[in-house]
Amino acid sequence: MVQLTIDIGGRPGIDCRGFCEYCYFKRVRGIRALGCRHCPPFQVGCDYCTKSVQERYPGFKELCTVADETLASLQLMSGDISKVTISGGGDPSCYPWFRDLIELSASMEAPLHIGYTSGKGFDDPSIGRYLIDHGLQEISFTVFSANPALRKKYMHDPTPKISLRILEELCGEIDVYAAAVVLPGVNDGEELVATAQWLEERGARGLILMRFANSPEQGLILGNAPVLRGQRIHTVEEFRDLVTSLHDRFDLKISGTPLWDPEIGSPFAVLEERELLERLPRLQKKASVITGSVAAPFLRQVLELCGGGCPVIPVRKEIACLITRDDLESIDLSTLEDTVILPGRAFVHDREAEKILSSDGHPREVVRGPDTLTADAETSMGMDRTQVLDMELQHIADLIRTINRYGG
Ligand code: SF4
Protein backbone atom coordinates (compact mmCIF):
# COMPACT_ATOMS: atom_id res chain seq x y z
CA MET A 1 0.00 0.00 0.00
CA VAL A 2 1.39 3.40 -0.92
CA GLN A 3 0.52 6.91 0.10
CA LEU A 4 0.27 9.81 -2.30
CA THR A 5 0.94 13.41 -1.27
CA ILE A 6 -0.46 16.20 -3.40
CA ASP A 7 1.60 19.33 -2.83
CA ILE A 8 -0.26 22.53 -3.76
CA GLY A 9 2.62 24.89 -2.84
CA GLY A 10 1.87 28.33 -1.42
CA ARG A 11 3.33 30.59 1.25
CA PRO A 12 2.33 30.71 4.92
CA GLY A 13 0.65 33.97 5.84
CA ILE A 14 0.36 35.08 2.23
CA ASP A 15 -1.53 32.18 0.71
CA CYS A 16 -3.86 31.94 3.71
CA ARG A 17 -5.60 35.31 3.61
CA GLY A 18 -2.98 37.17 5.58
CA PHE A 19 -1.09 36.42 8.76
CA CYS A 20 -2.84 35.23 11.87
CA GLU A 21 -1.77 37.39 14.81
CA TYR A 22 0.26 34.53 16.29
CA CYS A 23 1.76 33.15 13.06
CA TYR A 24 5.44 32.24 13.46
CA PHE A 25 6.12 33.20 9.85
CA LYS A 26 4.93 36.76 10.46
CA ARG A 27 8.20 38.47 11.24
CA VAL A 28 10.69 36.16 9.59
CA ARG A 29 13.74 38.16 8.57
CA GLY A 30 16.62 37.24 6.29
CA ILE A 31 19.17 35.65 8.63
CA ARG A 32 22.58 34.06 8.28
CA ALA A 33 22.26 30.47 7.03
CA LEU A 34 21.63 28.22 10.02
CA GLY A 35 23.43 25.08 8.83
CA CYS A 36 22.06 21.57 9.35
CA ARG A 37 22.69 17.90 8.70
CA HIS A 38 21.79 18.26 5.02
CA CYS A 39 24.47 20.87 4.21
CA PRO A 40 27.46 19.84 2.07
CA PRO A 41 30.64 19.37 4.19
CA PHE A 42 32.25 22.67 3.21
CA GLN A 43 29.19 24.89 2.96
CA VAL A 44 27.02 26.27 5.73
CA GLY A 45 23.50 26.53 4.32
CA CYS A 46 21.51 24.37 1.94
CA ASP A 47 18.01 24.47 0.51
CA TYR A 48 16.62 22.85 3.63
CA CYS A 49 18.04 25.22 6.25
CA THR A 50 17.57 28.38 4.18
CA LYS A 51 14.38 27.96 2.16
CA SER A 52 12.41 24.97 3.46
CA VAL A 53 12.69 25.97 7.12
CA GLN A 54 11.14 29.34 6.27
CA GLU A 55 8.68 27.71 3.90
CA ARG A 56 10.00 30.20 1.34
CA TYR A 57 8.19 28.96 -1.74
CA PRO A 58 6.57 30.71 -4.65
CA GLY A 59 2.77 31.03 -4.48
CA PHE A 60 0.23 28.28 -5.01
CA LYS A 61 0.90 25.94 -7.91
CA GLU A 62 -1.54 26.14 -10.81
CA LEU A 63 -4.01 23.28 -10.87
CA CYS A 64 -2.52 21.94 -14.14
CA THR A 65 0.93 21.79 -12.46
CA VAL A 66 -0.54 19.94 -9.47
CA ALA A 67 -2.27 17.51 -11.86
CA ASP A 68 0.93 16.92 -13.88
CA GLU A 69 2.99 16.32 -10.75
CA THR A 70 0.35 13.98 -9.35
CA LEU A 71 0.32 12.00 -12.56
CA ALA A 72 4.13 11.79 -12.54
CA SER A 73 4.06 10.52 -8.92
CA LEU A 74 1.42 7.95 -9.81
CA GLN A 75 3.55 6.62 -12.64
CA LEU A 76 6.35 5.89 -10.18
CA MET A 77 4.05 4.01 -7.82
CA SER A 78 2.92 0.44 -7.87
CA GLY A 79 0.16 -1.13 -5.83
CA ASP A 80 -2.98 0.33 -4.34
CA ILE A 81 -2.98 3.82 -2.88
CA SER A 82 -3.93 3.66 0.79
CA LYS A 83 -4.20 7.38 1.38
CA VAL A 84 -4.09 10.68 -0.52
CA THR A 85 -2.91 13.69 1.48
CA ILE A 86 -3.24 17.30 0.34
CA SER A 87 -0.53 19.52 1.77
CA GLY A 88 1.40 22.69 1.01
CA GLY A 89 3.00 25.83 2.44
CA GLY A 90 -0.24 27.73 1.82
CA ASP A 91 -3.61 26.81 3.25
CA PRO A 92 -5.67 24.35 1.15
CA SER A 93 -8.88 26.18 2.11
CA CYS A 94 -7.51 29.23 0.27
CA TYR A 95 -6.45 27.33 -2.85
CA PRO A 96 -8.10 29.14 -5.76
CA TRP A 97 -9.13 25.91 -7.51
CA PHE A 98 -10.15 24.09 -4.34
CA ARG A 99 -13.16 22.16 -5.67
CA ASP A 100 -11.25 21.05 -8.79
CA LEU A 101 -8.41 19.95 -6.53
CA ILE A 102 -10.78 17.86 -4.43
CA GLU A 103 -12.27 16.28 -7.56
CA LEU A 104 -8.78 15.45 -8.82
CA SER A 105 -7.87 13.94 -5.43
CA ALA A 106 -11.14 12.03 -5.19
CA SER A 107 -10.52 10.45 -8.58
CA MET A 108 -7.77 8.31 -6.95
CA GLU A 109 -10.57 6.54 -5.05
CA ALA A 110 -8.51 6.39 -1.86
CA PRO A 111 -9.26 7.93 1.55
CA LEU A 112 -8.50 11.62 1.39
CA HIS A 113 -6.69 13.59 4.10
CA ILE A 114 -6.13 17.32 4.36
CA GLY A 115 -2.85 17.69 6.21
CA TYR A 116 -3.56 21.12 7.65
CA THR A 117 -6.06 23.88 7.15
CA SER A 118 -7.07 26.95 9.08
CA GLY A 119 -10.45 26.93 7.35
CA LYS A 120 -10.05 30.68 6.75
CA GLY A 121 -10.66 30.22 3.05
CA PHE A 122 -14.01 28.47 3.48
CA ASP A 123 -16.78 30.99 2.82
CA ASP A 124 -19.41 28.62 1.50
CA PRO A 125 -21.23 26.46 4.07
CA SER A 126 -21.82 23.71 1.50
CA ILE A 127 -18.07 22.90 1.47
CA GLY A 128 -18.39 20.55 4.47
CA ARG A 129 -20.90 18.26 2.75
CA TYR A 130 -18.95 18.52 -0.50
CA LEU A 131 -15.76 17.29 1.20
CA ILE A 132 -17.53 14.41 2.93
CA ASP A 133 -19.17 13.35 -0.35
CA HIS A 134 -15.79 13.38 -2.08
CA GLY A 135 -14.14 10.96 0.33
CA LEU A 136 -12.49 13.24 2.87
CA GLN A 137 -11.66 10.99 5.80
CA GLU A 138 -9.34 13.02 8.02
CA ILE A 139 -8.52 16.68 8.48
CA SER A 140 -6.33 18.69 10.81
CA PHE A 141 -8.21 21.96 11.36
CA THR A 142 -6.98 24.99 13.30
CA VAL A 143 -9.90 26.03 15.44
CA PHE A 144 -8.05 28.53 17.70
CA SER A 145 -11.37 29.13 19.44
CA ALA A 146 -14.99 28.12 18.98
CA ASN A 147 -15.78 31.77 19.67
CA PRO A 148 -16.20 33.36 16.22
CA ALA A 149 -15.20 36.79 17.49
CA LEU A 150 -11.80 35.44 18.62
CA ARG A 151 -11.30 33.60 15.32
CA LYS A 152 -12.02 36.82 13.50
CA LYS A 153 -9.76 38.97 15.65
CA TYR A 154 -6.75 36.65 15.92
CA MET A 155 -6.94 34.59 12.74
CA HIS A 156 -8.49 37.30 10.57
CA ASP A 157 -11.04 34.81 9.36
CA PRO A 158 -13.53 36.93 7.38
CA THR A 159 -16.33 34.36 7.81
CA PRO A 160 -15.67 32.67 11.17
CA LYS A 161 -19.23 31.43 11.65
CA ILE A 162 -19.19 29.64 8.30
CA SER A 163 -15.76 28.09 9.02
CA LEU A 164 -17.05 26.82 12.37
CA ARG A 165 -20.23 25.49 10.76
CA ILE A 166 -18.08 23.52 8.28
CA LEU A 167 -15.86 22.28 11.10
CA GLU A 168 -18.99 21.17 12.97
CA GLU A 169 -20.28 19.20 9.99
CA LEU A 170 -16.88 17.53 9.47
CA CYS A 171 -16.63 16.62 13.19
CA GLY A 172 -19.90 14.71 12.89
CA GLU A 173 -18.78 12.50 10.02
CA ILE A 174 -15.01 12.19 9.65
CA ASP A 175 -11.84 12.19 11.78
CA VAL A 176 -11.17 15.77 12.82
CA TYR A 177 -8.08 16.74 14.77
CA ALA A 178 -8.50 20.33 15.88
CA ALA A 179 -5.55 22.52 16.84
CA ALA A 180 -5.15 25.71 18.80
CA VAL A 181 -2.16 27.87 19.57
CA VAL A 182 -2.84 28.92 23.16
CA LEU A 183 -2.45 32.62 23.92
CA PRO A 184 -2.72 33.19 27.68
CA GLY A 185 -5.42 35.74 28.44
CA VAL A 186 -6.95 35.34 24.97
CA ASN A 187 -8.17 31.82 24.17
CA ASP A 188 -7.19 29.97 27.37
CA GLY A 189 -9.20 29.70 30.61
CA GLU A 190 -12.97 29.49 30.16
CA GLU A 191 -12.64 30.18 26.44
CA LEU A 192 -10.52 27.06 26.05
CA VAL A 193 -12.87 24.99 28.16
CA ALA A 194 -15.76 26.15 25.94
CA THR A 195 -13.77 25.28 22.81
CA ALA A 196 -12.96 21.76 24.09
CA GLN A 197 -16.61 21.30 25.05
CA TRP A 198 -17.77 22.51 21.64
CA LEU A 199 -15.42 20.06 19.89
CA GLU A 200 -16.34 17.15 22.14
CA GLU A 201 -20.07 17.69 21.66
CA ARG A 202 -19.63 17.76 17.89
CA GLY A 203 -17.53 14.60 17.74
CA ALA A 204 -13.97 15.77 17.05
CA ARG A 205 -11.33 13.07 17.56
CA GLY A 206 -8.80 15.26 19.27
CA LEU A 207 -7.55 18.70 20.21
CA ILE A 208 -3.87 19.56 20.02
CA LEU A 209 -2.87 22.54 22.11
CA MET A 210 0.22 24.39 21.01
CA ARG A 211 2.10 26.46 23.52
CA PHE A 212 2.72 29.89 22.02
CA ALA A 213 6.40 30.74 21.62
CA ASN A 214 7.56 34.35 21.61
CA SER A 215 11.32 34.26 22.16
CA PRO A 216 14.36 32.56 20.61
CA GLU A 217 14.72 30.18 23.63
CA GLN A 218 11.17 29.01 23.04
CA GLY A 219 12.00 28.21 19.44
CA LEU A 220 11.83 31.34 17.27
CA ILE A 221 15.02 30.84 15.29
CA LEU A 222 14.27 32.90 12.19
CA GLY A 223 14.92 36.36 13.63
CA ASN A 224 11.15 36.61 14.18
CA ALA A 225 10.91 37.21 17.93
CA PRO A 226 8.75 38.54 19.42
CA VAL A 227 5.78 37.53 17.28
CA LEU A 228 3.35 39.32 19.61
CA ARG A 229 4.81 42.13 21.67
CA GLY A 230 3.83 42.02 25.34
CA GLN A 231 2.00 38.69 25.02
CA ARG A 232 2.13 36.64 28.23
CA ILE A 233 3.54 33.14 27.78
CA HIS A 234 2.87 29.92 29.67
CA THR A 235 5.89 28.35 31.30
CA VAL A 236 6.42 24.73 30.28
CA GLU A 237 5.06 23.58 33.67
CA GLU A 238 1.97 25.82 33.44
CA PHE A 239 1.31 24.52 29.99
CA ARG A 240 1.70 20.90 31.04
CA ASP A 241 -0.76 21.49 33.91
CA LEU A 242 -3.21 23.15 31.54
CA VAL A 243 -3.12 20.11 29.22
CA THR A 244 -3.56 17.77 32.19
CA SER A 245 -6.52 19.64 33.63
CA LEU A 246 -8.34 19.78 30.30
CA HIS A 247 -7.57 16.12 29.61
CA ASP A 248 -9.09 15.21 32.99
CA ARG A 249 -12.27 17.12 32.16
CA PHE A 250 -13.06 15.74 28.71
CA ASP A 251 -13.30 12.41 26.88
CA LEU A 252 -12.01 14.11 23.75
CA LYS A 253 -8.32 13.32 23.31
CA ILE A 254 -6.37 16.42 24.43
CA SER A 255 -2.62 16.70 24.13
CA GLY A 256 -0.06 19.47 23.96
CA THR A 257 3.12 20.41 22.23
CA PRO A 258 6.01 20.72 23.15
CA LEU A 259 4.52 18.48 25.82
CA TRP A 260 2.48 16.42 26.64
CA ASP A 261 0.11 13.54 25.78
CA PRO A 262 -1.55 12.47 29.08
CA GLU A 263 -3.29 9.47 27.51
CA ILE A 264 -0.05 7.95 26.21
CA GLY A 265 2.41 9.41 28.70
CA SER A 266 4.73 10.82 26.05
CA PRO A 267 7.23 12.39 25.68
CA PHE A 268 9.33 9.44 26.87
CA ALA A 269 6.36 7.22 27.77
CA VAL A 270 8.94 4.43 28.06
CA LEU A 271 9.95 5.79 31.48
CA GLU A 272 6.76 4.20 32.81
CA GLU A 273 7.73 0.82 31.31
CA ARG A 274 10.83 -0.31 33.17
CA GLU A 275 10.79 -3.83 31.69
CA LEU A 276 10.88 -2.36 28.17
CA LEU A 277 13.81 -0.14 29.14
CA GLU A 278 15.66 -3.25 30.24
CA ARG A 279 15.43 -4.60 26.72
CA LEU A 280 17.41 -1.67 25.34
CA PRO A 281 21.14 -2.06 24.70
CA ARG A 282 23.35 -1.03 27.67
CA LEU A 283 25.62 1.99 27.51
CA GLN A 284 29.22 0.83 27.22
CA LYS A 285 30.96 4.06 26.22
CA LYS A 286 30.83 7.67 27.29
CA ALA A 287 29.67 10.73 25.39
CA SER A 288 27.99 14.01 26.26
CA VAL A 289 24.47 14.20 24.87
CA ILE A 290 23.24 17.69 24.04
CA THR A 291 19.50 18.31 24.01
CA GLY A 292 16.81 20.92 24.63
CA SER A 293 15.76 21.94 28.12
CA VAL A 294 12.34 20.22 27.88
CA ALA A 295 13.72 16.79 26.93
CA ALA A 296 16.81 16.89 29.18
CA PRO A 297 15.35 15.60 32.50
CA PHE A 298 13.52 12.76 30.73
CA LEU A 299 16.52 11.75 28.65
CA ARG A 300 18.83 11.87 31.67
CA GLN A 301 16.58 9.36 33.45
CA VAL A 302 16.41 7.10 30.40
CA LEU A 303 20.19 7.00 29.96
CA GLU A 304 20.73 6.44 33.69
CA LEU A 305 18.42 3.42 33.51
CA CYS A 306 20.35 2.10 30.51
CA GLY A 307 23.71 1.98 32.26
CA GLY A 308 24.46 5.65 32.94
CA GLY A 309 27.74 7.51 32.70
CA CYS A 310 26.70 9.79 29.84
CA PRO A 311 26.04 13.37 30.87
CA VAL A 312 22.98 14.98 29.31
CA ILE A 313 23.69 18.65 28.66
CA PRO A 314 20.67 20.90 28.23
CA VAL A 315 20.95 24.17 26.34
CA ARG A 316 18.64 27.14 26.95
CA LYS A 317 16.63 26.35 23.83
CA GLU A 318 13.59 24.36 24.90
CA ILE A 319 13.22 22.24 21.76
CA ALA A 320 16.15 20.02 20.72
CA CYS A 321 15.29 20.16 17.00
CA LEU A 322 15.61 23.95 17.09
CA ILE A 323 19.09 24.14 18.61
CA THR A 324 21.29 26.63 16.75
CA ARG A 325 24.95 27.66 16.95
CA ASP A 326 24.22 30.29 19.66
CA ASP A 327 23.02 27.52 21.96
CA LEU A 328 26.27 25.61 21.54
CA GLU A 329 28.25 28.77 22.26
CA SER A 330 26.61 29.04 25.68
CA ILE A 331 27.70 25.55 26.83
CA ASP A 332 30.38 25.27 29.53
CA LEU A 333 32.92 23.28 27.53
CA SER A 334 34.70 22.04 30.65
CA THR A 335 31.71 19.76 31.29
CA LEU A 336 31.96 17.97 27.93
CA GLU A 337 33.35 14.54 27.11
CA ASP A 338 35.58 13.96 24.08
CA THR A 339 32.58 12.84 22.05
CA VAL A 340 29.48 14.99 21.84
CA ILE A 341 26.15 13.81 20.43
CA LEU A 342 24.03 16.50 18.78
CA PRO A 343 20.30 16.08 18.09
CA GLY A 344 19.96 14.88 14.49
CA ARG A 345 17.83 17.82 13.45
CA ALA A 346 19.76 20.59 15.25
CA PHE A 347 20.25 23.59 12.98
CA VAL A 348 24.04 23.69 13.18
CA HIS A 349 26.55 22.71 10.52
CA ASP A 350 28.68 19.75 11.66
CA ARG A 351 31.97 21.59 11.16
CA GLU A 352 30.75 24.70 12.96
CA ALA A 353 29.53 22.55 15.85
CA GLU A 354 32.92 20.85 16.09
CA LYS A 355 34.71 24.22 16.00
CA ILE A 356 32.50 25.75 18.71
CA LEU A 357 32.64 22.70 20.96
CA SER A 358 36.44 22.47 20.64
CA SER A 359 37.08 26.20 21.08
CA ASP A 360 38.72 25.66 24.50
CA GLY A 361 41.61 23.94 22.72
CA HIS A 362 40.38 20.44 23.55
CA PRO A 363 39.45 18.66 20.30
CA ARG A 364 36.05 16.97 20.45
CA GLU A 365 34.28 14.76 17.98
CA VAL A 366 30.71 15.78 17.20
CA VAL A 367 28.32 13.08 16.05
CA ARG A 368 24.66 13.38 15.05
CA GLY A 369 22.17 11.39 17.07
CA PRO A 370 18.73 10.28 15.87
CA ASP A 371 16.38 12.87 14.37
CA THR A 372 13.91 12.30 17.16
CA LEU A 373 13.70 10.26 20.36
CA THR A 374 10.03 10.50 21.23
CA ALA A 375 6.70 11.63 19.83
CA ASP A 376 5.39 15.16 20.22
CA ALA A 377 1.63 15.71 20.35
CA GLU A 378 1.31 16.21 16.62
CA THR A 379 3.00 12.86 16.02
CA SER A 380 1.25 10.95 18.80
CA MET A 381 -2.25 12.27 17.97
CA GLY A 382 -2.94 9.54 15.44
CA MET A 383 -0.96 6.82 17.28
CA ASP A 384 -1.74 4.42 20.10
CA ARG A 385 0.51 3.85 23.12
CA THR A 386 2.15 0.74 21.67
CA GLN A 387 3.11 2.59 18.52
CA VAL A 388 4.63 5.46 20.51
CA LEU A 389 6.55 3.03 22.74
CA ASP A 390 7.86 1.15 19.67
CA MET A 391 9.00 4.41 18.17
CA GLU A 392 10.74 5.54 21.36
CA LEU A 393 12.48 2.18 21.84
CA GLN A 394 13.77 2.18 18.31
CA HIS A 395 15.16 5.73 18.47
CA ILE A 396 16.62 5.44 21.96
CA ALA A 397 18.33 2.19 20.92
CA ASP A 398 19.80 4.08 17.94
CA LEU A 399 21.13 6.75 20.29
CA ILE A 400 22.72 4.16 22.58
CA ARG A 401 24.30 2.37 19.61
CA THR A 402 25.70 5.70 18.38
CA ILE A 403 27.22 6.38 21.82
CA ASN A 404 28.68 2.87 21.98
CA ARG A 405 30.15 3.23 18.51
CA TYR A 406 31.69 6.71 18.77
CA GLY A 407 32.01 7.32 22.52
CA GLY A 408 35.22 7.21 24.50
S1 SF4 B 1 -3.19 30.04 8.73
FE1 SF4 B 1 -1.33 29.16 9.61
S2 SF4 B 1 0.31 29.69 8.14
FE2 SF4 B 1 -1.47 31.00 7.69
S3 SF4 B 1 -1.09 32.85 8.83
FE3 SF4 B 1 -2.34 31.54 10.14
S4 SF4 B 1 -0.86 30.42 11.40
FE4 SF4 B 1 0.27 31.31 9.68
Side-chain angles (χ1 to χ4, degrees):
M1 295 292 237
V2 287
Q3 301 191 0
L4 175 72
T5 299
I6 298 182
D7 179 3
I8 57 173
R11 298 150 297 180
I14 298 163
D15 294 314
C16 44
R17 284 190 156 173
F19 286 106
C20 299
E21 288 294 310
Y22 53 80
C23 181
Y24 295 138
F25 294 99
K26 199 166 72 173
R27 297 187 198 277
V28 171
R29 283 185 276 129
I31 48 160
R32 186 178 152 203
L34 294 164
C36 70
R37 70 193 193 288
H38 301 295
C39 293
F42 296 102
Q43 180 188 310
V44 179
C46 62
D47 255 18
Y48 180 73
C49 65
T50 55
K51 292 188 189 150
S52 298
V53 70
Q54 297 184 29
E55 305 213 8
R56 237 202 285 151
Y57 305 117
F60 278 131
K61 296 174 186 173
E62 299 274 333
L63 184 68
C64 56
T65 308
V66 173
D68 287 348
E69 288 179 0
T70 304
L71 188 61
S73 304
L74 284 172
Q75 281 165 349
L76 296 174
M77 291 175 169
S78 56
D80 290 340
I81 300 173
S82 58
K83 173 167 144 182
V84 175
T85 302
I86 297 174
S87 77
D91 186 327
S93 73
C94 303
Y95 189 64
W97 307 278
F98 183 73
R99 286 187 189 248
D100 297 316
L101 171 74
I102 295 300
E103 263 155 51
L104 171 78
S105 313
S107 67
M108 303 321 149
E109 295 182 351
L112 181 59
H113 290 205
I114 293 183
Y116 158 81
T117 185
S118 68
K120 286 199 287 186
F122 293 148
D123 294 336
D124 175 354
S126 70
I127 284 278
R129 175 48 47 198
Y130 177 83
L131 288 170
I132 295 162
D133 290 345
H134 283 76
L136 185 68
Q137 194 181 74
E138 185 181 309
I139 190 167
S140 167
F141 198 118
T142 295
V143 61
F144 185 69
S145 172
N147 175 344
L150 286 182
R151 258 188 82 88
K152 189 168 190 125
K153 183 168 175 195
Y154 285 87
M155 293 178 71
H156 305 297
D157 181 349
T159 55
K161 288 187 181 159
I162 293 177
S163 307
L164 290 169
R165 203 182 322 158
I166 292 165
L167 174 59
E168 179 171 12
E169 187 161 16
L170 296 176
C171 282
E173 301 217 25
I174 65 164
D175 293 342
V176 173
Y177 295 100
V181 172
V182 183
L183 298 180
V186 175
N187 64 340
D188 65 340
E190 285 313 305
E191 287 289 350
L192 190 53
V193 171
T195 298
Q197 179 101 37
W198 188 95
L199 289 165
E200 178 162 284
E201 284 168 4
R202 281 151 186 82
R205 291 290 299 266
L207 170 61
I208 302 180
L209 302 175
M210 294 159 168
R211 174 178 169 243
F212 180 60
N214 214 21
S215 68
E217 300 83 73
Q218 291 156 350
L220 301 184
I221 60 170
L222 301 174
N224 49 339
V227 170
L228 276 176
R229 266 178 234 293
Q231 173 62 49
R232 189 163 71 75
I233 308 297
H234 285 125
T235 64
V236 172
E237 294 72 28
E238 278 173 337
F239 186 74
R240 184 188 167 117
D241 292 347
L242 170 78
V243 175
T244 307
S245 68
L246 272 187
H247 167 263
D248 292 347
R249 257 173 108 156
F250 293 98
D251 292 330
L252 168 77
K253 171 157 179 150
I254 295 178
S255 53
T257 184
L259 81 175
W260 79 296
D261 185 328
E263 196 177 291
I264 289 179
S266 48
F268 297 97
V270 74
L271 280 169
E272 298 299 319
E273 301 288 340
R274 296 298 159 104
E275 70 289 357
L276 288 181
L277 277 172
E278 275 160 29
R279 285 196 222 152
L280 284 168
R282 300 294 90 186
L283 282 162
Q284 288 156 356
K285 298 270 183 70
K286 252 187 162 186
S288 297
V289 181
I290 291 179
T291 190
S293 62
V294 170
F298 298 103
L299 184 55
R300 195 171 286 130
Q301 278 188 67
V302 169
L303 294 185
E304 275 310 306
L305 292 163
C306 291
C310 286
V312 172
I313 314 286
V315 294
R316 278 180 64 205
K317 184 75 50 59
E318 291 171 357
I319 318 288
C321 301
L322 297 173
I323 286 175
T324 57
R325 58 170 83 80
D326 304 355
D327 297 306
L328 300 191
E329 279 163 355
S330 67
I331 291 175
D332 174 2
L333 301 184
S334 68
T335 62
L336 294 183
E337 301 290 328
D338 292 349
T339 305
V340 181
I341 312 288
L342 264 193
R345 288 189 190 150
F347 280 107
V348 194
H349 189 272
D350 287 348
R351 285 188 171 240
E352 278 202 320
E354 214 153 271
K355 198 166 150 206
I356 295 167
L357 297 175
S358 305
S359 58
D360 58 351
H362 185 114
R364 294 186 178 87
E365 186 181 15
V366 175
V367 181
R368 294 263 170 188
D371 281 359
T372 182
L373 293 173
T374 181
D376 65 7
E378 283 162 278
T379 312
S380 70
M381 184 53 85
M383 296 167 88
D384 62 27
R385 190 158 194 271
T386 308
Q387 289 169 314
V388 171
L389 286 169
D390 280 350
M391 179 190 167
E392 289 184 350
L393 287 171
Q394 193 187 322
H395 294 314
I396 295 166
D398 284 347
L399 172 65
I400 294 173
R401 281 193 282 269
T402 304
I403 295 171
N404 287 346
R405 179 161 177 212
Y406 295 101

